[in-house]
Amino acid sequence: MEVNQIAQLATSLATTTTNQAIGIAVMKKAMDVQASTATAMLEALPPATGANLPPHLGQNVNTTA
């Protein structure tokens, strides 16, 4: 290998490493934004209310169906 090829390889590896680090940082920020958005959406939901069903419903499970 010539000196120029070694220098090009080293530069290429450094660029690749930097690009990967930038990509990971952007992905982490996107995940943080997504998590905060999901949390905000869950907090915006109204509280769950009990269904107005008769008390005998939901007591048995039909296992032969």
Short mmCIF file of all heavy atoms in Angstrom, two decimals:
data_model
loop_
_atom_site.label_atom_id
_atom_site.label_comp_id
_atom_site.label_asym_id
_atom_site.label_seq_id
_atom_site.Cartn_x
_atom_site.Cartn_y
_atom_site.Cartn_z
N MET A 1 0.83 -1.18 0.00
CA MET A 1 0.00 0.00 0.00
C MET A 1 0.88 1.24 0.00
O MET A 1 1.87 1.30 0.70
CB MET A 1 -0.86 0.01 1.26
CG MET A 1 -2.32 -0.15 1.00
SD MET A 1 -3.28 0.13 2.50
CE MET A 1 -4.43 -1.18 2.30
N GLU A 2 0.44 2.19 -0.74
CA GLU A 2 1.18 3.44 -0.75
C GLU A 2 0.72 4.32 0.40
O GLU A 2 -0.33 4.10 1.02
CB GLU A 2 0.95 4.15 -2.08
CG GLU A 2 1.57 3.43 -3.27
CD GLU A 2 1.40 4.22 -4.55
OE1 GLU A 2 1.23 5.44 -4.48
OE2 GLU A 2 1.44 3.59 -5.61
N VAL A 3 1.49 5.34 0.64
CA VAL A 3 1.18 6.27 1.72
C VAL A 3 -0.14 6.97 1.46
O VAL A 3 -0.95 7.17 2.38
CB VAL A 3 2.34 7.29 1.88
CG1 VAL A 3 1.98 8.34 2.91
CG2 VAL A 3 3.63 6.58 2.25
N ASN A 4 -0.40 7.32 0.22
CA ASN A 4 -1.66 8.01 -0.11
C ASN A 4 -2.87 7.12 0.16
O ASN A 4 -3.90 7.58 0.64
CB ASN A 4 -1.66 8.46 -1.58
CG ASN A 4 -0.71 9.60 -1.84
OD1 ASN A 4 -0.35 10.33 -0.91
ND2 ASN A 4 -0.29 9.75 -3.09
N GLN A 5 -2.75 5.86 -0.14
CA GLN A 5 -3.85 4.94 0.09
C GLN A 5 -4.11 4.77 1.59
O GLN A 5 -5.27 4.68 2.02
CB GLN A 5 -3.55 3.58 -0.54
CG GLN A 5 -3.58 3.59 -2.05
CD GLN A 5 -3.17 2.24 -2.63
OE1 GLN A 5 -2.46 1.47 -1.97
NE2 GLN A 5 -3.60 1.97 -3.86
N ILE A 6 -3.06 4.72 2.37
CA ILE A 6 -3.21 4.60 3.82
C ILE A 6 -3.88 5.85 4.38
O ILE A 6 -4.78 5.77 5.23
CB ILE A 6 -1.85 4.34 4.50
CG1 ILE A 6 -1.31 2.99 4.06
CG2 ILE A 6 -1.96 4.43 6.01
CD1 ILE A 6 0.11 2.72 4.51
N ALA A 7 -3.49 7.01 3.89
CA ALA A 7 -4.09 8.26 4.35
C ALA A 7 -5.56 8.33 3.96
O ALA A 7 -6.41 8.75 4.74
CB ALA A 7 -3.34 9.45 3.77
N GLN A 8 -5.88 7.88 2.75
CA GLN A 8 -7.28 7.88 2.32
C GLN A 8 -8.11 6.91 3.15
O GLN A 8 -9.25 7.21 3.52
CB GLN A 8 -7.37 7.49 0.84
CG GLN A 8 -6.90 8.56 -0.11
CD GLN A 8 -6.89 8.09 -1.56
OE1 GLN A 8 -7.03 6.91 -1.83
NE2 GLN A 8 -6.72 9.03 -2.48
N LEU A 9 -7.56 5.76 3.46
CA LEU A 9 -8.26 4.78 4.29
C LEU A 9 -8.50 5.33 5.69
O LEU A 9 -9.60 5.20 6.23
CB LEU A 9 -7.46 3.48 4.36
CG LEU A 9 -8.06 2.36 5.21
CD1 LEU A 9 -9.40 1.93 4.64
CD2 LEU A 9 -7.10 1.18 5.27
N ALA A 10 -7.51 5.97 6.26
CA ALA A 10 -7.66 6.54 7.61
C ALA A 10 -8.72 7.64 7.61
O ALA A 10 -9.55 7.72 8.52
CB ALA A 10 -6.33 7.08 8.09
N THR A 11 -8.71 8.47 6.59
CA THR A 11 -9.71 9.54 6.48
C THR A 11 -11.10 8.96 6.30
O THR A 11 -12.07 9.43 6.91
CB THR A 11 -9.36 10.47 5.30
OG1 THR A 11 -8.05 10.98 5.49
CG2 THR A 11 -10.34 11.61 5.20
N SER A 12 -11.20 7.93 5.49
CA SER A 12 -12.48 7.28 5.26
C SER A 12 -13.02 6.66 6.54
O SER A 12 -14.22 6.78 6.86
CB SER A 12 -12.33 6.22 4.18
OG SER A 12 -13.52 5.51 4.02
N LEU A 13 -12.17 6.00 7.30
CA LEU A 13 -12.61 5.40 8.56
C LEU A 13 -13.04 6.46 9.57
O LEU A 13 -14.02 6.29 10.29
CB LEU A 13 -11.49 4.55 9.15
CG LEU A 13 -11.20 3.23 8.43
CD1 LEU A 13 -9.96 2.57 9.02
CD2 LEU A 13 -12.39 2.31 8.53
N ALA A 14 -12.31 7.56 9.64
CA ALA A 14 -12.67 8.64 10.56
C ALA A 14 -14.01 9.25 10.17
O ALA A 14 -14.85 9.54 11.03
CB ALA A 14 -11.58 9.70 10.57
N THR A 15 -14.22 9.43 8.88
CA THR A 15 -15.49 10.00 8.40
C THR A 15 -16.65 9.05 8.71
O THR A 15 -17.72 9.49 9.15
CB THR A 15 -15.41 10.26 6.88
OG1 THR A 15 -14.32 11.14 6.64
CG2 THR A 15 -16.69 10.89 6.36
N THR A 16 -16.44 7.77 8.49
CA THR A 16 -17.48 6.78 8.77
C THR A 16 -17.82 6.77 10.25
O THR A 16 -19.01 6.75 10.62
CB THR A 16 -17.02 5.39 8.32
OG1 THR A 16 -16.72 5.42 6.93
CG2 THR A 16 -18.08 4.35 8.58
N THR A 17 -16.82 6.81 11.10
CA THR A 17 -17.05 6.81 12.54
C THR A 17 -17.83 8.05 12.96
O THR A 17 -18.76 7.97 13.76
CB THR A 17 -15.71 6.74 13.29
OG1 THR A 17 -15.01 5.58 12.87
CG2 THR A 17 -15.92 6.69 14.79
N THR A 18 -17.46 9.19 12.41
CA THR A 18 -18.16 10.44 12.74
C THR A 18 -19.60 10.40 12.26
O THR A 18 -20.52 10.79 13.00
CB THR A 18 -17.43 11.64 12.09
OG1 THR A 18 -16.08 11.65 12.54
CG2 THR A 18 -18.10 12.95 12.45
N ASN A 19 -19.82 9.90 11.06
CA ASN A 19 -21.18 9.81 10.52
C ASN A 19 -22.04 8.88 11.36
O ASN A 19 -23.22 9.16 11.60
CB ASN A 19 -21.16 9.36 9.07
CG ASN A 19 -20.64 10.44 8.14
OD1 ASN A 19 -20.62 11.61 8.48
ND2 ASN A 19 -20.23 10.03 6.94
N GLN A 20 -21.47 7.78 11.81
CA GLN A 20 -22.22 6.86 12.66
C GLN A 20 -22.56 7.50 14.00
O GLN A 20 -23.68 7.34 14.51
CB GLN A 20 -21.43 5.58 12.88
CG GLN A 20 -21.39 4.67 11.67
CD GLN A 20 -20.54 3.43 11.91
OE1 GLN A 20 -19.77 3.36 12.87
NE2 GLN A 20 -20.65 2.46 11.02
N ALA A 21 -21.64 8.23 14.58
CA ALA A 21 -21.90 8.90 15.86
C ALA A 21 -23.00 9.95 15.71
O ALA A 21 -23.87 10.08 16.58
CB ALA A 21 -20.62 9.54 16.39
N ILE A 22 -22.97 10.67 14.62
CA ILE A 22 -24.01 11.68 14.37
C ILE A 22 -25.36 11.00 14.19
O ILE A 22 -26.38 11.45 14.73
CB ILE A 22 -23.65 12.54 13.14
CG1 ILE A 22 -22.45 13.42 13.47
CG2 ILE A 22 -24.83 13.39 12.69
CD1 ILE A 22 -21.86 14.13 12.27
N GLY A 23 -25.39 9.91 13.44
CA GLY A 23 -26.64 9.18 13.22
C GLY A 23 -27.22 8.66 14.52
O GLY A 23 -28.43 8.73 14.75
N ILE A 24 -26.37 8.14 15.39
CA ILE A 24 -26.84 7.63 16.69
C ILE A 24 -27.37 8.76 17.55
O ILE A 24 -28.40 8.63 18.21
CB ILE A 24 -25.72 6.85 17.39
CG1 ILE A 24 -25.44 5.54 16.64
CG2 ILE A 24 -26.06 6.57 18.85
CD1 ILE A 24 -24.21 4.81 17.11
N ALA A 25 -26.70 9.90 17.54
CA ALA A 25 -27.17 11.04 18.34
C ALA A 25 -28.53 11.54 17.84
O ALA A 25 -29.42 11.84 18.65
CB ALA A 25 -26.14 12.17 18.28
N VAL A 26 -28.70 11.59 16.54
CA VAL A 26 -29.99 12.03 15.98
C VAL A 26 -31.08 11.03 16.33
O VAL A 26 -32.20 11.41 16.69
CB VAL A 26 -29.87 12.23 14.45
CG1 VAL A 26 -31.23 12.41 13.81
CG2 VAL A 26 -28.97 13.40 14.14
N MET A 27 -30.77 9.74 16.26
CA MET A 27 -31.74 8.71 16.59
C MET A 27 -32.15 8.80 18.07
O MET A 27 -33.34 8.69 18.40
CB MET A 27 -31.18 7.33 16.30
CG MET A 27 -32.17 6.21 16.56
SD MET A 27 -31.50 4.57 16.24
CE MET A 27 -30.24 4.46 17.51
N LYS A 28 -31.20 9.05 18.95
CA LYS A 28 -31.51 9.18 20.38
C LYS A 28 -32.41 10.38 20.63
O LYS A 28 -33.35 10.29 21.42
CB LYS A 28 -30.23 9.30 21.20
CG LYS A 28 -29.49 7.99 21.36
CD LYS A 28 -28.24 8.16 22.21
CE LYS A 28 -27.50 6.86 22.38
NZ LYS A 28 -26.29 7.02 23.20
N LYS A 29 -32.13 11.50 19.97
CA LYS A 29 -32.98 12.68 20.15
C LYS A 29 -34.38 12.41 19.62
O LYS A 29 -35.36 12.82 20.24
CB LYS A 29 -32.37 13.88 19.44
CG LYS A 29 -31.17 14.45 20.17
CD LYS A 29 -30.70 15.74 19.52
CE LYS A 29 -29.47 16.25 20.22
NZ LYS A 29 -29.76 17.05 21.38
N ALA A 30 -34.49 11.72 18.49
CA ALA A 30 -35.80 11.39 17.94
C ALA A 30 -36.58 10.48 18.89
O ALA A 30 -37.79 10.65 19.07
CB ALA A 30 -35.65 10.74 16.57
N MET A 31 -35.89 9.53 19.50
CA MET A 31 -36.55 8.64 20.45
C MET A 31 -37.00 9.40 21.69
O MET A 31 -38.08 9.12 22.24
CB MET A 31 -35.62 7.49 20.81
CG MET A 31 -35.41 6.50 19.68
SD MET A 31 -34.16 5.24 20.00
CE MET A 31 -34.88 4.37 21.37
N ASP A 32 -36.20 10.36 22.15
CA ASP A 32 -36.60 11.17 23.30
C ASP A 32 -37.84 12.00 22.99
O ASP A 32 -38.76 12.09 23.81
CB ASP A 32 -35.45 12.09 23.73
CG ASP A 32 -34.29 11.34 24.36
OD1 ASP A 32 -34.49 10.17 24.76
OD2 ASP A 32 -33.19 11.92 24.44
N VAL A 33 -37.88 12.58 21.81
CA VAL A 33 -39.05 13.37 21.40
C VAL A 33 -40.27 12.48 21.30
O VAL A 33 -41.37 12.84 21.74
CB VAL A 33 -38.77 14.10 20.06
CG1 VAL A 33 -40.04 14.67 19.48
CG2 VAL A 33 -37.73 15.18 20.25
N GLN A 34 -40.10 11.30 20.73
CA GLN A 34 -41.21 10.36 20.60
C GLN A 34 -41.72 9.92 21.97
O GLN A 34 -42.93 9.82 22.18
CB GLN A 34 -40.75 9.15 19.79
CG GLN A 34 -41.86 8.22 19.38
CD GLN A 34 -41.37 7.10 18.49
OE1 GLN A 34 -40.20 6.75 18.53
NE2 GLN A 34 -42.25 6.55 17.70
N ALA A 35 -40.83 9.68 22.90
CA ALA A 35 -41.23 9.27 24.25
C ALA A 35 -41.99 10.39 24.95
O ALA A 35 -43.01 10.14 25.60
CB ALA A 35 -40.01 8.87 25.06
N SER A 36 -41.52 11.62 24.82
CA SER A 36 -42.22 12.72 25.48
C SER A 36 -43.58 12.97 24.82
O SER A 36 -44.55 13.30 25.51
CB SER A 36 -41.37 13.99 25.45
OG SER A 36 -41.18 14.44 24.13
N THR A 37 -43.67 12.78 23.51
CA THR A 37 -44.95 12.93 22.83
C THR A 37 -45.93 11.86 23.28
O THR A 37 -47.11 12.14 23.53
CB THR A 37 -44.76 12.87 21.31
OG1 THR A 37 -43.84 13.87 20.91
CG2 THR A 37 -46.07 13.06 20.57
N ALA A 38 -45.46 10.63 23.39
CA ALA A 38 -46.32 9.54 23.85
C ALA A 38 -46.79 9.78 25.27
O ALA A 38 -47.97 9.55 25.60
CB ALA A 38 -45.59 8.21 23.74
N THR A 39 -45.91 10.26 26.12
CA THR A 39 -46.29 10.56 27.50
C THR A 39 -47.35 11.66 27.55
O THR A 39 -48.33 11.55 28.29
CB THR A 39 -45.05 10.99 28.31
OG1 THR A 39 -44.09 9.94 28.26
CG2 THR A 39 -45.41 11.28 29.75
N ALA A 40 -47.17 12.68 26.74
CA ALA A 40 -48.14 13.77 26.70
C ALA A 40 -49.49 13.28 26.20
O ALA A 40 -50.55 13.68 26.71
CB ALA A 40 -47.63 14.90 25.81
N MET A 41 -49.48 12.40 25.22
CA MET A 41 -50.74 11.86 24.70
C MET A 41 -51.44 11.00 25.75
O MET A 41 -52.68 11.07 25.89
CB MET A 41 -50.48 11.04 23.43
CG MET A 41 -50.11 11.88 22.24
SD MET A 41 -49.72 10.89 20.77
CE MET A 41 -51.32 10.18 20.42
N LEU A 42 -50.68 10.20 26.49
CA LEU A 42 -51.29 9.37 27.52
C LEU A 42 -51.86 10.22 28.65
O LEU A 42 -52.91 9.89 29.22
CB LEU A 42 -50.27 8.37 28.07
CG LEU A 42 -49.88 7.24 27.11
CD1 LEU A 42 -48.74 6.41 27.70
CD2 LEU A 42 -51.08 6.35 26.81
N GLU A 43 -51.17 11.29 28.98
CA GLU A 43 -51.68 12.17 30.05
C GLU A 43 -52.91 12.94 29.60
O GLU A 43 -53.72 13.34 30.43
CB GLU A 43 -50.58 13.13 30.49
CG GLU A 43 -49.47 12.45 31.26
CD GLU A 43 -48.32 13.37 31.58
OE1 GLU A 43 -48.31 14.53 31.11
OE2 GLU A 43 -47.40 12.94 32.30
N ALA A 44 -53.08 13.13 28.29
CA ALA A 44 -54.22 13.88 27.77
C ALA A 44 -55.48 13.03 27.70
O ALA A 44 -56.58 13.57 27.54
CB ALA A 44 -53.90 14.43 26.39
N LEU A 45 -55.36 11.72 27.82
CA LEU A 45 -56.53 10.84 27.76
C LEU A 45 -57.43 11.08 28.97
O LEU A 45 -56.94 11.28 30.09
CB LEU A 45 -56.10 9.38 27.74
CG LEU A 45 -55.47 8.87 26.45
CD1 LEU A 45 -54.95 7.45 26.66
CD2 LEU A 45 -56.47 8.89 25.33
N PRO A 46 -58.73 11.03 28.75
CA PRO A 46 -59.63 11.16 29.90
C PRO A 46 -59.56 9.90 30.76
O PRO A 46 -59.20 8.83 30.28
CB PRO A 46 -61.02 11.31 29.25
CG PRO A 46 -60.88 10.70 27.91
CD PRO A 46 -59.45 10.90 27.50
N PRO A 47 -59.89 10.02 32.03
CA PRO A 47 -59.84 8.83 32.89
C PRO A 47 -60.85 7.78 32.44
O PRO A 47 -61.92 8.12 31.93
CB PRO A 47 -60.16 9.37 34.28
CG PRO A 47 -60.82 10.68 34.04
CD PRO A 47 -60.32 11.20 32.74
N ALA A 48 -60.50 6.54 32.61
CA ALA A 48 -61.38 5.44 32.21
C ALA A 48 -62.58 5.38 33.16
O ALA A 48 -62.45 5.53 34.37
CB ALA A 48 -60.63 4.13 32.25
N THR A 49 -63.73 5.18 32.56
CA THR A 49 -64.96 5.05 33.37
C THR A 49 -65.41 3.61 33.30
O THR A 49 -65.18 2.90 32.31
CB THR A 49 -66.07 5.97 32.84
OG1 THR A 49 -66.33 5.63 31.47
CG2 THR A 49 -65.65 7.43 32.92
N GLY A 50 -66.07 3.16 34.33
CA GLY A 50 -66.59 1.81 34.35
C GLY A 50 -67.74 1.66 33.36
O GLY A 50 -68.54 2.58 33.16
N ALA A 51 -67.80 0.55 32.71
CA ALA A 51 -68.87 0.31 31.73
C ALA A 51 -70.18 0.08 32.49
O ALA A 51 -70.20 -0.47 33.59
CB ALA A 51 -68.52 -0.89 30.87
N ASN A 52 -71.26 0.49 31.88
CA ASN A 52 -72.58 0.32 32.48
C ASN A 52 -73.14 -1.04 32.07
O ASN A 52 -74.13 -1.14 31.36
CB ASN A 52 -73.52 1.44 32.03
CG ASN A 52 -73.07 2.78 32.55
OD1 ASN A 52 -72.50 2.85 33.64
ND2 ASN A 52 -73.32 3.83 31.80
N LEU A 53 -72.51 -2.09 32.55
CA LEU A 53 -72.92 -3.44 32.22
C LEU A 53 -73.53 -4.09 33.45
O LEU A 53 -73.19 -3.76 34.58
CB LEU A 53 -71.71 -4.27 31.76
CG LEU A 53 -71.00 -3.79 30.50
CD1 LEU A 53 -69.77 -4.63 30.24
CD2 LEU A 53 -71.93 -3.85 29.30
N PRO A 54 -74.42 -5.06 33.23
CA PRO A 54 -74.98 -5.79 34.38
C PRO A 54 -73.90 -6.55 35.13
O PRO A 54 -72.90 -6.97 34.53
CB PRO A 54 -75.98 -6.77 33.73
CG PRO A 54 -76.20 -6.28 32.34
CD PRO A 54 -75.01 -5.45 31.97
N PRO A 55 -74.06 -6.74 36.41
CA PRO A 55 -73.00 -7.37 37.22
C PRO A 55 -72.74 -8.84 36.87
O PRO A 55 -71.69 -9.37 37.18
CB PRO A 55 -73.50 -7.23 38.65
CG PRO A 55 -74.95 -6.96 38.55
CD PRO A 55 -75.19 -6.31 37.22
N HIS A 56 -73.70 -9.53 36.21
CA HIS A 56 -73.48 -10.94 35.90
C HIS A 56 -72.61 -11.15 34.67
O HIS A 56 -72.13 -12.26 34.45
CB HIS A 56 -74.84 -11.66 35.71
CG HIS A 56 -75.57 -11.23 34.47
ND1 HIS A 56 -76.33 -10.09 34.42
CD2 HIS A 56 -75.63 -11.79 33.24
CE1 HIS A 56 -76.83 -9.96 33.22
NE2 HIS A 56 -76.44 -10.98 32.47
N LEU A 57 -72.38 -10.12 33.88
CA LEU A 57 -71.54 -10.27 32.70
C LEU A 57 -70.06 -10.35 33.08
O LEU A 57 -69.61 -9.67 33.98
CB LEU A 57 -71.76 -9.11 31.73
CG LEU A 57 -73.09 -9.09 31.00
CD1 LEU A 57 -73.17 -7.86 30.10
CD2 LEU A 57 -73.31 -10.33 30.18
N GLY A 58 -69.34 -11.21 32.39
CA GLY A 58 -67.91 -11.33 32.62
C GLY A 58 -67.56 -12.30 33.73
O GLY A 58 -66.40 -12.39 34.14
N GLN A 59 -68.51 -13.07 34.22
CA GLN A 59 -68.24 -14.01 35.30
C GLN A 59 -67.81 -15.38 34.78
O GLN A 59 -67.11 -16.10 35.47
CB GLN A 59 -69.50 -14.18 36.18
CG GLN A 59 -69.97 -12.90 36.81
CD GLN A 59 -68.92 -12.33 37.77
OE1 GLN A 59 -68.31 -13.06 38.54
NE2 GLN A 59 -68.73 -11.03 37.73
N ASN A 60 -68.22 -15.73 33.57
CA ASN A 60 -67.94 -17.06 33.02
C ASN A 60 -67.25 -16.92 31.66
O ASN A 60 -67.49 -15.96 30.92
CB ASN A 60 -69.23 -17.87 32.84
CG ASN A 60 -69.98 -18.06 34.15
OD1 ASN A 60 -69.34 -18.32 35.16
ND2 ASN A 60 -71.29 -17.92 34.12
N VAL A 61 -66.45 -17.91 31.34
CA VAL A 61 -65.77 -17.96 30.05
C VAL A 61 -66.20 -19.25 29.36
O VAL A 61 -66.08 -20.35 29.92
CB VAL A 61 -64.23 -17.92 30.21
CG1 VAL A 61 -63.55 -18.06 28.86
CG2 VAL A 61 -63.81 -16.67 30.90
N ASN A 62 -66.68 -19.13 28.12
CA ASN A 62 -67.10 -20.29 27.36
C ASN A 62 -65.87 -20.90 26.69
O ASN A 62 -65.32 -20.35 25.75
CB ASN A 62 -68.14 -19.89 26.31
CG ASN A 62 -68.72 -21.08 25.59
OD1 ASN A 62 -68.29 -22.21 25.80
ND2 ASN A 62 -69.70 -20.82 24.73
N THR A 63 -65.44 -22.05 27.17
CA THR A 63 -64.23 -22.67 26.65
C THR A 63 -64.50 -23.64 25.51
O THR A 63 -63.57 -24.17 24.92
CB THR A 63 -63.47 -23.41 27.76
OG1 THR A 63 -64.34 -24.39 28.32
CG2 THR A 63 -63.02 -22.44 28.85
N THR A 64 -65.75 -23.88 25.16
CA THR A 64 -66.07 -24.83 24.10
C THR A 64 -66.39 -24.12 22.78
O THR A 64 -66.61 -24.77 21.78
CB THR A 64 -67.28 -25.71 24.48
OG1 THR A 64 -68.41 -24.87 24.73
CG2 THR A 64 -66.95 -26.54 25.71
N ALA A 65 -66.41 -22.85 22.78
CA ALA A 65 -66.76 -22.10 21.57
C ALA A 65 -65.60 -22.11 20.59
O ALA A 65 -64.48 -22.24 20.89
CB ALA A 65 -67.14 -20.67 21.91
#
